[in-house]
């Protein structure tokens, strides 16, 4: 199975900060990488697919990059509605697997 | 607008069975792969199963193989998850998810809670 490791597990940031979350795959997954946002008590929401493609309707402050084993999600200017937990997920091969999540909290 | 509405969750004893349903609307259901993803209380996300548009291909995480079955009824725009021999570790919110044309989790339902406890 492909292991997905996110870092950090949590972070504290201020409104307006630029935030970067890293996701590392245990083997090459090409660009079969997605990012999701989940707010407390809510269903996850798709943000990025194919490592860097923005899901329709998602604001451009979110961006993704990377290929192979190393990927990043960047939020260019953190807003109050962005405080949430973020997950990466590989869909290169079964079983599809998620990272453990990164909780973004208010500083 | 894509809508996915899960139902069928509840409290069940260990060893019992439960059938989850997902009613889909706002898109051509027969044209998309569908998935179930679960989340144990306070934990992360775990992919459970996928099914191809016509039901001809199905994939499962190892922990549910032989116990869970995924199916879809394209005439009723519905996805199902039959869960047998349930264990405490199956306790989770179960999400119905539509895959995008590039095979990623595109749209999520609101989830239904399954609790396995005596």
């Amino acid at each position: 199975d492909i292991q997905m490791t996110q870092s950090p597990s949590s972070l504290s940031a201020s409104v307006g900060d630029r935030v970067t979350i890293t996701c590392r795959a245990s083997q090459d997954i090409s660009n079969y990488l997605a990012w999701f946002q989940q707010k407390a008590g809510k269903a996850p929401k798709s943000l990025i697919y194919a490592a860097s493609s923005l899901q329709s309707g998602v604001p451009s402050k979110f961006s993704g990059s990377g290929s192979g084993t190393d990927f990043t999600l960047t939020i260019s200017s953190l807003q109050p509605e962005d405080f949430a937990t973020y997950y990466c997920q590989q869909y290169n091969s079964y079983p599809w697997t998620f990272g453990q999540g990164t909780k973004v909290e208010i500083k | 607008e894509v809508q996915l509405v899960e139902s069928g969750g509840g409290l069940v004893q260990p060893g019992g069975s439960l059938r989850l349903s997902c009613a889909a609307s706002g898109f051509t259901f027969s044209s998309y792969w569908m998935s179930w993803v679960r989340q144990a209380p306070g934990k992360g996300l775990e992919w459970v199963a996928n099914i191809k548009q016509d039901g001809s291909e199905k994939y499962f995480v190892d922990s549910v193989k032989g116990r869970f079955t995924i199916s879809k009824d394209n005439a009723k725009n519905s996805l199902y998850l039959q869960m047998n021999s349930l264990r405490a570790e199956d306790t989770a919110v179960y999400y119905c998810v539509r895959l995008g044309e590039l095979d990623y989790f595109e749209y999520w339902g609101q989830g239904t809670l399954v609790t396995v406890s005596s």
Side-chain angles (χ1 to χ4, degrees):
Chain A
D1 298 3
I2 298 174
Q3 307 302 316
M4 306 300 293
T5 304
Q6 290 181 231
S7 60
S9 295
S10 64
L11 66 91
S12 295
S14 300
V15 172
D17 283 354
R18 180 183 180 89
V19 169
T20 298
I21 298 169
T22 297
C23 178
R24 175 164 289 175
S26 62
Q27 62 190 74
D28 189 338
I29 60 169
S30 184
N31 69 334
Y32 294 98
L33 190 283
W35 289 97
F36 304 92
Q37 176 194 66
Q38 187 177 34
K39 297 180 180 179
K42 301 295 186 181
K45 173 186 174 184
S46 174
L47 297 177
I48 302 281
Y49 64 95
S52 60
S53 296
L54 201 63
Q55 170 70 4
S56 176
V58 173
S60 59
K61 61 181 172 181
F62 293 98
S63 62
S65 65
S67 67
T69 60
D70 294 313
F71 302 87
T72 60
L73 172 71
T74 299
I75 308 171
S76 60
S77 177
L78 203 65
Q79 297 303 306
E81 63 269 20
D82 302 328
F83 291 95
T85 299
Y86 294 84
Y87 294 92
C88 65
Q89 177 251 333
Q90 68 82 18
Y91 51 102
N92 178 73
S93 62
Y94 288 115
W96 290 1
T97 47
F98 289 87
Q100 81 279 15
T102 295
K103 187 172 185 178
V104 177
E105 299 176 303
I106 301 173
K107 181 182 285 184
Chain B
E1 178 193 5
V2 172
Q3 288 199 347
L4 300 166
V5 180
E6 302 93 336
S7 60
L11 175 63
V12 61
Q13 292 188 340
S17 298
L18 211 54
R19 188 197 197 203
L20 305 184
S21 299
C22 170
S25 61
F27 64 99
T28 304
F29 183 71
S30 59
S31 297
Y32 290 87
W33 282 74
M34 297 294 296
S35 298
W36 289 98
V37 174
R38 67 184 178 182
Q39 186 170 36
K43 303 297 184 183
L45 299 166
E46 180 183 38
W47 166 75
V48 174
N50 281 1
I51 186 167
K52 193 176 179 179
Q53 292 96 328
D54 62 357
S56 61
E57 292 183 36
K58 303 175 184 180
Y59 301 90
F60 298 90
V61 68
D62 280 352
S63 60
V64 309
K65 282 180 182 175
R67 300 189 300 123
F68 288 13
T69 302
I70 188 172
S71 61
K72 67 196 307 260
D73 186 334
N74 288 333
K76 294 183 178 180
N77 290 341
S78 292
L79 175 72
Y80 305 101
L81 186 68
Q82 177 67 45
M83 304 185 294
N84 298 330
S85 302
L86 282 161
R87 305 167 181 167
E89 54 265 35
D90 295 318
T91 294
V93 174
Y94 285 74
Y95 295 102
C96 167
V97 189
R98 192 196 91 172
L99 299 189
E101 293 181 355
L102 297 181
D103 290 344
Y104 64 100
F105 295 131
E106 188 175 20
Y107 291 102
W108 298 67
Q110 85 288 349
T112 187
L113 176 62
V114 172
T115 302
V116 184
S117 175
S118 55

mmCIF file of all heavy atoms in Angstrom, chain A residues 57-89:
data_model
loop_
_atom_site.group_PDB
_atom_site.id
_atom_site.type_symbol
_atom_site.label_atom_id
_atom_site.label_comp_id
_atom_site.label_asym_id
_atom_site.label_seq_id
_atom_site.Cartn_x
_atom_site.Cartn_y
_atom_site.Cartn_z
ATOM 1 N N GLY A 57 -15.147 26.096 -8.988
ATOM 2 C CA GLY A 57 -15.749 26.827 -7.890
ATOM 3 C C GLY A 57 -14.826 27.090 -6.710
ATOM 4 O O GLY A 57 -15.187 27.844 -5.808
ATOM 5 N N VAL A 58 -13.654 26.502 -6.722
ATOM 6 C CA VAL A 58 -12.705 26.710 -5.617
ATOM 7 C C VAL A 58 -11.895 27.976 -5.897
ATOM 8 O O VAL A 58 -11.382 28.152 -7.003
ATOM 9 C CB VAL A 58 -11.772 25.490 -5.476
ATOM 10 C CG1 VAL A 58 -10.663 25.762 -4.458
ATOM 11 C CG2 VAL A 58 -12.581 24.267 -5.063
ATOM 12 N N PRO A 59 -11.768 28.861 -4.917
ATOM 13 C CA PRO A 59 -11.052 30.118 -5.168
ATOM 14 C C PRO A 59 -9.580 29.900 -5.492
ATOM 15 O O PRO A 59 -8.951 28.957 -5.015
ATOM 16 C CB PRO A 59 -11.235 30.900 -3.860
ATOM 17 C CG PRO A 59 -11.691 29.917 -2.856
ATOM 18 C CD PRO A 59 -12.351 28.813 -3.561
ATOM 19 N N SER A 60 -9.050 30.824 -6.278
ATOM 20 C CA SER A 60 -7.682 30.691 -6.788
ATOM 21 C C SER A 60 -6.606 30.906 -5.729
ATOM 22 O O SER A 60 -5.419 30.730 -6.009
ATOM 23 C CB SER A 60 -7.466 31.656 -7.951
ATOM 24 O OG SER A 60 -7.693 32.977 -7.530
ATOM 25 N N LYS A 61 -6.990 31.250 -4.501
ATOM 26 C CA LYS A 61 -5.995 31.340 -3.428
ATOM 27 C C LYS A 61 -5.438 29.960 -3.079
ATOM 28 O O LYS A 61 -4.387 29.853 -2.455
ATOM 29 C CB LYS A 61 -6.586 31.997 -2.187
ATOM 30 C CG LYS A 61 -7.759 31.235 -1.579
ATOM 31 C CD LYS A 61 -8.309 31.979 -0.364
ATOM 32 C CE LYS A 61 -9.594 31.331 0.123
ATOM 33 N NZ LYS A 61 -10.160 32.049 1.296
ATOM 34 N N PHE A 62 -6.163 28.913 -3.471
ATOM 35 C CA PHE A 62 -5.670 27.556 -3.288
ATOM 36 C C PHE A 62 -4.880 27.132 -4.523
ATOM 37 O O PHE A 62 -5.329 27.339 -5.657
ATOM 38 C CB PHE A 62 -6.822 26.573 -3.072
ATOM 39 C CG PHE A 62 -7.556 26.771 -1.787
ATOM 40 C CD1 PHE A 62 -8.739 27.494 -1.748
ATOM 41 C CD2 PHE A 62 -7.089 26.221 -0.600
ATOM 42 C CE1 PHE A 62 -9.425 27.679 -0.559
ATOM 43 C CE2 PHE A 62 -7.765 26.393 0.595
ATOM 44 C CZ PHE A 62 -8.934 27.134 0.617
ATOM 45 N N SER A 63 -3.722 26.541 -4.301
ATOM 46 C CA SER A 63 -2.955 26.019 -5.421
ATOM 47 C C SER A 63 -2.214 24.759 -4.979
ATOM 48 O O SER A 63 -1.878 24.600 -3.798
ATOM 49 C CB SER A 63 -1.972 27.048 -5.960
ATOM 50 O OG SER A 63 -1.023 27.398 -4.980
ATOM 51 N N GLY A 64 -1.987 23.881 -5.930
ATOM 52 C CA GLY A 64 -1.268 22.652 -5.666
ATOM 53 C C GLY A 64 -0.122 22.476 -6.637
ATOM 54 O O GLY A 64 -0.177 22.975 -7.765
ATOM 55 N N SER A 65 0.904 21.781 -6.172
ATOM 56 C CA SER A 65 2.041 21.517 -7.045
ATOM 57 C C SER A 65 2.675 20.186 -6.668
ATOM 58 O O SER A 65 2.373 19.615 -5.610
ATOM 59 C CB SER A 65 3.069 22.641 -6.955
ATOM 60 O OG SER A 65 3.637 22.696 -5.654
ATOM 61 N N GLY A 66 3.566 19.725 -7.552
ATOM 62 C CA GLY A 66 4.320 18.511 -7.283
ATOM 63 C C GLY A 66 4.006 17.390 -8.240
ATOM 64 O O GLY A 66 3.019 17.442 -8.987
ATOM 65 N N SER A 67 4.848 16.384 -8.213
ATOM 66 C CA SER A 67 4.637 15.159 -8.976
ATOM 67 C C SER A 67 5.603 14.116 -8.447
ATOM 68 O O SER A 67 6.591 14.452 -7.789
ATOM 69 C CB SER A 67 4.848 15.376 -10.471
ATOM 70 O OG SER A 67 6.197 15.656 -10.740
ATOM 71 N N GLY A 68 5.298 12.873 -8.718
ATOM 72 C CA GLY A 68 6.159 11.808 -8.217
ATOM 73 C C GLY A 68 5.823 11.436 -6.788
ATOM 74 O O GLY A 68 4.859 10.727 -6.534
ATOM 75 N N THR A 69 6.619 11.946 -5.845
ATOM 76 C CA THR A 69 6.381 11.622 -4.440
ATOM 77 C C THR A 69 6.153 12.836 -3.547
ATOM 78 O O THR A 69 5.722 12.673 -2.403
ATOM 79 C CB THR A 69 7.562 10.828 -3.856
ATOM 80 O OG1 THR A 69 8.756 11.628 -3.956
ATOM 81 C CG2 THR A 69 7.764 9.503 -4.592
ATOM 82 N N ASP A 70 6.454 14.024 -4.028
ATOM 83 C CA ASP A 70 6.380 15.205 -3.178
ATOM 84 C C ASP A 70 5.411 16.244 -3.730
ATOM 85 O O ASP A 70 5.530 16.656 -4.893
ATOM 86 C CB ASP A 70 7.766 15.834 -3.004
ATOM 87 C CG ASP A 70 8.695 14.918 -2.226
ATOM 88 O OD1 ASP A 70 8.277 14.394 -1.182
ATOM 89 O OD2 ASP A 70 9.828 14.718 -2.678
ATOM 90 N N PHE A 71 4.492 16.670 -2.862
ATOM 91 C CA PHE A 71 3.412 17.556 -3.270
ATOM 92 C C PHE A 71 3.190 18.634 -2.213
ATOM 93 O O PHE A 71 3.515 18.433 -1.033
ATOM 94 C CB PHE A 71 2.116 16.752 -3.439
ATOM 95 C CG PHE A 71 2.241 15.632 -4.435
ATOM 96 C CD1 PHE A 71 2.706 14.381 -4.024
ATOM 97 C CD2 PHE A 71 1.923 15.810 -5.764
ATOM 98 C CE1 PHE A 71 2.846 13.341 -4.930
ATOM 99 C CE2 PHE A 71 2.057 14.789 -6.684
ATOM 100 C CZ PHE A 71 2.525 13.556 -6.272
ATOM 101 N N THR A 72 2.653 19.767 -2.654
ATOM 102 C CA THR A 72 2.316 20.832 -1.715
ATOM 103 C C THR A 72 0.963 21.427 -2.036
ATOM 104 O O THR A 72 0.548 21.492 -3.204
ATOM 105 C CB THR A 72 3.364 21.958 -1.722
ATOM 106 O OG1 THR A 72 3.440 22.510 -3.040
ATOM 107 C CG2 THR A 72 4.724 21.451 -1.281
ATOM 108 N N LEU A 73 0.282 21.863 -0.989
ATOM 109 C CA LEU A 73 -0.933 22.667 -1.091
ATOM 110 C C LEU A 73 -0.592 24.022 -0.475
ATOM 111 O O LEU A 73 -0.077 24.085 0.643
ATOM 112 C CB LEU A 73 -2.087 22.027 -0.324
ATOM 113 C CG LEU A 73 -3.357 22.881 -0.202
ATOM 114 C CD1 LEU A 73 -4.053 22.992 -1.561
ATOM 115 C CD2 LEU A 73 -4.313 22.290 0.835
ATOM 116 N N THR A 74 -0.879 25.079 -1.201
ATOM 117 C CA THR A 74 -0.605 26.425 -0.715
ATOM 118 C C THR A 74 -1.892 27.231 -0.672
ATOM 119 O O THR A 74 -2.685 27.188 -1.622
ATOM 120 C CB THR A 74 0.425 27.135 -1.605
ATOM 121 O OG1 THR A 74 1.651 26.403 -1.597
ATOM 122 C CG2 THR A 74 0.693 28.557 -1.105
ATOM 123 N N ILE A 75 -2.082 27.940 0.429
ATOM 124 C CA ILE A 75 -3.170 28.910 0.549
ATOM 125 C C ILE A 75 -2.474 30.266 0.576
ATOM 126 O O ILE A 75 -1.696 30.554 1.496
ATOM 127 C CB ILE A 75 -4.003 28.687 1.820
ATOM 128 C CG1 ILE A 75 -4.454 27.225 1.915
ATOM 129 C CG2 ILE A 75 -5.217 29.610 1.829
ATOM 130 C CD1 ILE A 75 -5.105 26.857 3.235
ATOM 131 N N SER A 76 -2.751 31.100 -0.413
ATOM 132 C CA SER A 76 -1.944 32.305 -0.597
ATOM 133 C C SER A 76 -2.183 33.354 0.481
ATOM 134 O O SER A 76 -1.252 34.040 0.895
ATOM 135 C CB SER A 76 -2.211 32.909 -1.977
ATOM 136 O OG SER A 76 -3.580 33.252 -2.101
ATOM 137 N N SER A 77 -3.412 33.490 0.933
ATOM 138 C CA SER A 77 -3.730 34.478 1.957
ATOM 139 C C SER A 77 -4.858 33.910 2.796
ATOM 140 O O SER A 77 -6.020 33.926 2.387
ATOM 141 C CB SER A 77 -4.145 35.814 1.317
ATOM 142 O OG SER A 77 -4.517 36.753 2.316
ATOM 143 N N LEU A 78 -4.516 33.408 3.954
ATOM 144 C CA LEU A 78 -5.468 32.686 4.788
ATOM 145 C C LEU A 78 -6.602 33.588 5.257
ATOM 146 O O LEU A 78 -6.365 34.713 5.737
ATOM 147 C CB LEU A 78 -4.716 32.101 5.989
ATOM 148 C CG LEU A 78 -5.332 30.908 6.699
ATOM 149 C CD1 LEU A 78 -5.389 29.696 5.783
ATOM 150 C CD2 LEU A 78 -4.530 30.604 7.953
ATOM 151 N N GLN A 79 -7.802 33.095 5.101
ATOM 152 C CA GLN A 79 -8.998 33.817 5.541
ATOM 153 C C GLN A 79 -9.712 33.017 6.620
ATOM 154 O O GLN A 79 -9.474 31.811 6.760
ATOM 155 C CB GLN A 79 -9.916 34.062 4.351
ATOM 156 C CG GLN A 79 -9.315 34.948 3.274
ATOM 157 C CD GLN A 79 -8.899 36.301 3.823
ATOM 158 O OE1 GLN A 79 -9.691 37.023 4.437
ATOM 159 N NE2 GLN A 79 -7.628 36.661 3.621
ATOM 160 N N PRO A 80 -10.593 33.664 7.383
ATOM 161 C CA PRO A 80 -11.262 32.952 8.487
ATOM 162 C C PRO A 80 -11.961 31.665 8.049
ATOM 163 O O PRO A 80 -11.960 30.680 8.798
ATOM 164 C CB PRO A 80 -12.265 33.990 9.000
ATOM 165 C CG PRO A 80 -11.637 35.296 8.677
ATOM 166 C CD PRO A 80 -10.926 35.088 7.367
ATOM 167 N N GLU A 81 -12.497 31.651 6.837
ATOM 168 C CA GLU A 81 -13.231 30.466 6.379
ATOM 169 C C GLU A 81 -12.293 29.315 5.971
ATOM 170 O O GLU A 81 -12.762 28.210 5.667
ATOM 171 C CB GLU A 81 -14.137 30.822 5.198
ATOM 172 C CG GLU A 81 -13.413 31.305 3.955
ATOM 173 C CD GLU A 81 -13.233 32.819 3.919
ATOM 174 O OE1 GLU A 81 -13.327 33.461 4.998
ATOM 175 O OE2 GLU A 81 -13.009 33.339 2.807
ATOM 176 N N ASP A 82 -10.988 29.552 5.978
ATOM 177 C CA ASP A 82 -10.027 28.528 5.579
ATOM 178 C C ASP A 82 -9.532 27.689 6.752
ATOM 179 O O ASP A 82 -8.789 26.720 6.542
ATOM 180 C CB ASP A 82 -8.817 29.169 4.883
ATOM 181 C CG ASP A 82 -9.207 29.982 3.671
ATOM 182 O OD1 ASP A 82 -10.198 29.610 3.000
ATOM 183 O OD2 ASP A 82 -8.531 30.995 3.387
ATOM 184 N N PHE A 83 -9.929 28.046 7.952
ATOM 185 C CA PHE A 83 -9.495 27.264 9.107
ATOM 186 C C PHE A 83 -10.267 25.953 9.106
ATOM 187 O O PHE A 83 -11.500 25.929 9.217
ATOM 188 C CB PHE A 83 -9.664 28.064 10.388
ATOM 189 C CG PHE A 83 -8.706 29.212 10.460
ATOM 190 C CD1 PHE A 83 -9.086 30.484 10.052
ATOM 191 C CD2 PHE A 83 -7.406 29.020 10.895
ATOM 192 C CE1 PHE A 83 -8.186 31.558 10.086
ATOM 193 C CE2 PHE A 83 -6.506 30.077 10.936
ATOM 194 C CZ PHE A 83 -6.892 31.344 10.524
ATOM 195 N N ALA A 84 -9.523 24.855 8.953
ATOM 196 C CA ALA A 84 -10.116 23.553 8.690
ATOM 197 C C ALA A 84 -9.004 22.509 8.733
ATOM 198 O O ALA A 84 -7.837 22.833 8.989
ATOM 199 C CB ALA A 84 -10.775 23.546 7.316
ATOM 200 N N THR A 85 -9.376 21.261 8.458
ATOM 201 C CA THR A 85 -8.385 20.195 8.300
ATOM 202 C C THR A 85 -8.271 19.864 6.820
ATOM 203 O O THR A 85 -9.284 19.776 6.111
ATOM 204 C CB THR A 85 -8.785 18.950 9.103
ATOM 205 O OG1 THR A 85 -8.863 19.301 10.497
ATOM 206 C CG2 THR A 85 -7.761 17.841 8.929
ATOM 207 N N TYR A 86 -7.041 19.695 6.364
ATOM 208 C CA TYR A 86 -6.771 19.433 4.961
ATOM 209 C C TYR A 86 -6.150 18.042 4.802
ATOM 210 O O TYR A 86 -5.269 17.651 5.591
ATOM 211 C CB TYR A 86 -5.832 20.509 4.394
ATOM 212 C CG TYR A 86 -6.492 21.863 4.362
ATOM 213 C CD1 TYR A 86 -6.508 22.684 5.491
ATOM 214 C CD2 TYR A 86 -7.142 22.306 3.210
ATOM 215 C CE1 TYR A 86 -7.151 23.907 5.473
ATOM 216 C CE2 TYR A 86 -7.781 23.536 3.183
ATOM 217 C CZ TYR A 86 -7.783 24.324 4.327
ATOM 218 O OH TYR A 86 -8.432 25.537 4.306
ATOM 219 N N TYR A 87 -6.634 17.318 3.804
ATOM 220 C CA TYR A 87 -6.152 15.962 3.531
ATOM 221 C C TYR A 87 -5.642 15.852 2.098
ATOM 222 O O TYR A 87 -6.259 16.382 1.175
ATOM 223 C CB TYR A 87 -7.281 14.931 3.688
ATOM 224 C CG TYR A 87 -7.814 14.764 5.073
ATOM 225 C CD1 TYR A 87 -8.907 15.499 5.513
ATOM 226 C CD2 TYR A 87 -7.251 13.843 5.961
ATOM 227 C CE1 TYR A 87 -9.416 15.343 6.793
ATOM 228 C CE2 TYR A 87 -7.753 13.675 7.236
ATOM 229 C CZ TYR A 87 -8.840 14.432 7.648
ATOM 230 O OH TYR A 87 -9.342 14.255 8.922
ATOM 231 N N CYS A 88 -4.539 15.137 1.937
ATOM 232 C CA CYS A 88 -4.131 14.729 0.597
ATOM 233 C C CYS A 88 -4.553 13.273 0.396
ATOM 234 O O CYS A 88 -4.827 12.554 1.364
ATOM 235 C CB CYS A 88 -2.635 14.894 0.386
ATOM 236 S SG CYS A 88 -1.571 13.854 1.412
ATOM 237 N N GLN A 89 -4.626 12.851 -0.854
ATOM 238 C CA GLN A 89 -5.075 11.487 -1.169
ATOM 239 C C GLN A 89 -4.512 11.060 -2.510
ATOM 240 O O GLN A 89 -4.535 11.842 -3.467
ATOM 241 C CB GLN A 89 -6.598 11.432 -1.194
ATOM 242 C CG GLN A 89 -7.190 10.081 -1.570
ATOM 243 C CD GLN A 89 -7.827 10.054 -2.943
ATOM 244 O OE1 GLN A 89 -8.274 11.083 -3.437
ATOM 245 N NE2 GLN A 89 -7.888 8.900 -3.563
#
